[in-house]
Amino acid sequence: MKGFKKVVVIVSSVLMLGACGSITQTSSNKGSNKDVVKIGGNWALSGQYSAYGIPHDNGVKLAVKELNDQGGVLGKKIEYLSADNKSENAESTAQATRLVEKEDVDALVGSDTTGNCQAQISVAQSFKVPMVAPAATGNGLTLDKNGNLFDYVFRTCFQDSYQSQALGRYAVQKGWKKAAILKDNSSDYGQNVAEDFKKTFQENGGEVVGEEAYTSGDSDFRALLTNLKKQEPDVVFVAGYYQEGGLIVKQLREMGMNTAVLGPDGFGNQELVNLAGKENANNVFFVTHFLHDENSPQVVKNFVKKYQETYGNVPDHFSALAYDATYLVIDAMKRANSTKGEEVQKALAETKDFKGVTGQFSFDKDHNPVKEVYIQELQNGKVAKTEVVQK
C-alpha cells in the first residue's frame, strides 16, 4: 500500500490518538479515499508554539471550506483532518505517520515550526507524499545534510537567510548606521537570523556596535539592554520570537531608550503588542509575509473579511501562509489532474507565478518561493506603515 499513498500536504500538528489527543475532521462529505480528497493538518494546537499552530489550522479550515463551496477538486469533496502535535518534534513525527499511514490523507500542509517540519520530512519522503510548509523558515529545510533536494518538501514562506539579508539591507536603507544585536542563543532560528543580518548589514556599510544573547523563556533583559544602551545604537535588532520580543520592547522603553527595534517574522503575532503594551510598541519594525490594507488586491480583502467573519479576529501571516499552501496544493492537483504523489510533486515543482493572498511567487530549484519581503512599522501598537525591501 505504501506505493499507492497519495499526496500529503503536511500541516503543522500531527494527529493525536487515544490518550494523546484526537482528530478533528472538516468536510461536508465524509467517506473513503475513493470519494474524497484528504488533507492532513499537523499543527501545534497546544504547547509553547500554539500561537503559531492555531492560526495555521484556521487558515487551512477556511481554504477547505471555500474550495468545497466551489465544488472541491477533481469532482471530489475535500476532507480536512486536523491534529495536535503539542509543539513536540517527536509527536510531530508520530502524528505525520498516523495521518499518512492510517488516515491515508491525500495531502499534508505544514508543519508550523522548522523543528516540527523537519520531524515529518522522513515520512513525506518515504511515502512519496508532498508536504507544503507554510511558515517553517529554517535555512536548508528542503535539503538533506549533503545538500541534496528533498523532492517532496516545499514551502510557501521564504527561508531565514532570505529575510535576514533583506533586514540587513533595510536597516541600511533606513539610514541606521549603528546596530546592536540581541539574539535568542538557544535556537537555531535566533542564531542564524542574527548571523545573516550582521553579515549583510556590515557588507552594506553598517557597523555592529554590540551583541548580547538570551535564552528562550528569559523574562528580564535589563542588564543586557543596559550594555547595549551604552553603545548608542541607531537600531536594536532582536533575533528571536514575540514571546521575548514583546518584553524586550517593554523594558527597553521603560529604560528610556526610544531606539528603533527591528525583528524577523517571529515578531509577527498580536501577543508582541500585548506583552510590550501599546504605549511602548512604537518605532518597532518586523518582517511579515502578509500585507493587507486599503490598497490590497480584492482577493486579499475577501480573505480578511471571511476570516474575520469566521474567527472574530484579523488574520496574521501564519493563517495567510497556510491558506495559500492549501490552495497551492489543490492547484497542483488540478494541473496534474491527479492526487497521486509523484504527479502532484511534479506539478508543485513546476509552479510559476502562483497568485495567493501572501503575494505572487514561483519556486526556485530548492522548492523555496521567490517573493517580496515586507516590513511593517508599529506605532502605538498598530501597523502604521508597510514597506517592500528593495533588492
Side-chain angles (χ1 to χ4, degrees):
M1 292 297 292
K2 291 183 181 179
F4 296 92
K5 287 293 177 184
K6 298 186 178 179
V7 183
V8 178
V9 180
I10 295 181
V11 185
S12 140
S13 290
V14 191
L15 295 176
M16 308 296 296
L17 306 175
C20 293
S22 61
I23 299 170
T24 301
Q25 295 178 319
T26 301
S27 87
S28 56
N29 180 23
K30 296 180 182 179
S32 70
N33 244 13
K34 221 171 170 184
D35 303 318
V36 299
V37 172
K38 290 185 178 181
I39 290 181
N42 176 20
W43 307 110
L45 302 179
S46 63
Q48 63 177 325
Y49 300 125
S50 61
Y52 301 143
I54 292 172
H56 275 93
D57 189 47
N58 288 342
V60 178
K61 288 178 180 177
L62 180 59
V64 169
K65 182 182 184 304
E66 290 179 356
L67 287 161
N68 277 332
D69 289 344
Q70 297 165 19
V73 59
L74 304 179
K76 299 178 181 181
K77 287 293 185 180
I78 303 166
E79 181 178 328
Y80 174 51
L81 292 86
S82 176
D84 181 9
N85 61 31
K86 297 183 178 180
S87 302
E88 299 173 2
N89 293 347
E91 191 61 29
S92 183
T93 303
Q95 297 302 339
T97 302
R98 171 74 182 182
L99 283 169
V100 175
E101 197 165 22
K102 300 298 183 182
E103 297 301 327
D104 198 27
V105 295
D106 291 300
L108 275 171
V109 180
S111 186
D112 35 30
T113 68
T114 297
N116 281 339
C117 276
Q118 289 173 327
Q120 302 176 108
I121 288 176
S122 62
V123 178
Q125 289 292 111
S126 295
F127 289 94
K128 296 185 177 180
V129 289
M131 60 174 271
V132 178
T137 59
N139 292 337
L141 176 76
T142 62
L143 307 175
D144 67 18
K145 63 181 180 180
N146 296 316
N148 299 312
L149 181 68
F150 287 125
D151 293 344
Y152 289 84
V153 181
F154 299 81
R155 54 178 157 189
T156 52
C157 62
F158 37 71
Q159 62 181 344
D160 289 336
S161 59
Y162 193 84
Q163 68 164 316
S164 304
Q165 291 163 14
L167 284 163
R169 295 195 304 274
Y170 179 79
V172 173
Q173 291 164 11
K174 292 290 288 185
W176 299 327
K177 297 181 179 180
K178 297 190 298 180
I181 297 175
L182 184 55
K183 66 180 178 181
D184 177 356
N185 214 29
S186 61
S187 71
D188 290 338
Y189 176 76
Q191 294 179 54
N192 291 338
V193 167
E195 181 180 352
D196 288 331
F197 169 83
K198 178 181 179 180
K199 181 179 179 181
T200 304
F201 185 67
Q202 291 177 324
E203 287 177 346
N204 284 271
E207 178 187 3
V208 175
V209 295
E211 295 183 61
E212 297 288 346
Y214 63 87
T215 299
S216 177
D218 286 352
S219 58
D220 189 348
F221 305 94
R222 291 176 180 84
L224 302 179
L225 293 172
T226 297
N227 292 338
L228 297 180
K229 183 179 181 180
K230 295 176 182 177
Q231 307 305 317
E232 300 182 346
D234 299 315
V235 60
V236 174
F237 178 63
V238 182
Y241 296 101
Y242 71 88
Q243 294 95 325
E244 292 77 32
L247 295 176
I248 289 171
V249 171
K250 176 181 173 63
Q251 292 169 26
L252 186 145
R253 298 297 183 240
E254 290 175 344
M255 293 171 60
M257 289 182 69
N258 295 316
T259 309
V261 176
L262 183 63
D265 64 337
F267 269 37
N269 190 284
Q270 178 59 35
E271 191 62 20
L272 177 89
V273 175
N274 296 340
L275 289 168
K278 293 182 180 179
E279 69 280 6
N280 297 316
N282 294 298
N283 211 20
V284 176
F285 304 77
F286 63 93
V287 169
T288 182
H289 300 259
F290 176 53
L291 170 62
H292 61 96
D293 55 28
E294 65 277 4
N295 298 316
S296 295
Q298 192 59 46
V299 65
V300 173
K301 293 179 179 178
N302 290 342
F303 165 66
V304 173
K305 181 175 183 293
K306 291 179 181 178
Y307 192 95
Q308 286 182 294
E309 291 174 348
T310 304
Y311 302 110
N313 57 283
V314 177
D316 60 15
H317 63 222
F318 299 115
S319 50
L321 286 165
Y323 178 89
D324 274 357
T326 307
Y327 267 93
L328 173 65
V329 170
I330 299 304
D331 176 68
M333 288 179 176
K334 290 178 179 178
R335 286 186 279 120
N337 193 32
S338 172
T339 59
K340 186 177 180 181
E342 294 91 333
E343 295 178 12
V344 177
Q345 183 276 339
K346 185 174 184 293
L348 282 169
E350 293 173 349
T351 296
K352 184 175 178 60
D353 297 331
F354 174 82
K355 295 180 180 179
V357 297
T358 60
Q360 179 174 302
F361 66 86
S362 301
F363 281 126
D364 65 15
K365 63 181 179 62
D366 293 331
H367 296 176
N368 295 309
V370 178
K371 62 199 306 187
E372 292 181 322
V373 178
Y374 303 113
I375 304 288
Q376 292 192 320
E377 175 184 347
L378 293 180
Q379 295 294 345
N380 296 316
K382 295 183 178 181
V383 176
K385 186 178 181 180
T386 302
E387 297 177 274
V388 176
V389 181
Q390 301 301 312
K391 295 183 179 180

